[in-house]
Amino acid sequence: SQQGEEDPQALSIQEGENATMNCSYKTSINNLQWYRQNSGRGLVHLILIRSNEREKHSGRLRVTLDTSKKSSSLLITASRAADTASYFCASLTQGGSEKLVFGKGTKLTVNP
Amino acid sequence: GAGVSQSPRYKVAKRGQDVALRCDPISGHVSLFWYQQALGQGPEFLTYFQNEAQLDKSGLPSDRFFAERPEGSVSTLKIQRTQQEDSAVYLCASSLVRTAYEQYFGPGTRLTVT
């Protein structure tokens, strides 16, 4: 399988706490994207970070990228019950390929 | 505006039957992608179109899988002689230009082969 790895596979926290998810990928990338998937809904794009960026923020989301370690992390601050979902990282390989390579996902549960 | 739509949402096929899954991308989106998502896994790339041209079909698991986008908008993924291992959710995504930007996903078609 080409898929990257995310850890943890599952995470359960209380509302108001922060959630951190990590992702590793295998090849040199053009960019890395994070998506959320709720049951019954499609994947929703959250944030994109380019290979020459190290950190990016969007609302309660903070993404970091370490290309030397081929890893990324997604931090969700002040979590809400509505953040309960599966989170996937997806890497766009450098070199002209148009396909996203997804990780296996982290299942986040935020308890009210 | 309308997002990516897919039909049917659910499909049950007997082993050996042919199925056709439809994707309507966001109007004006140039790129269209098909992914297969097994239970508990992330999506896996199947194929990619830019307008009507199929530029990458490296992810299609066998020659039983065929995709087309004849007029550069609606796309159909066809699976011939379905097998149990084809059971999965099939996701379609589109993007305005190239996938260097975000992709917009449809709700998927859940295919169950019995």
Side-chain angles (χ1 to χ4, degrees), chain A residues 64-76:
Chain A
T64 62
L65 180 66
D66 186 335
T67 52
S68 67
K69 295 181 180 175
K70 291 189 170 55
S71 68
S72 174
S73 68
L74 172 68
L75 168 67
I76 304 174

Side-chain angles (χ1 to χ4, degrees), chain B residues 4-23:
Chain B
V4 178
S5 61
Q6 293 185 245
S7 61
R9 290 292 311 276
Y10 303 92
K11 176 71 180 175
V12 179
K14 287 193 186 336
R15 192 162 61 93
Q17 280 185 332
D18 297 349
V19 298
L21 313 179
R22 177 186 168 109
C23 172

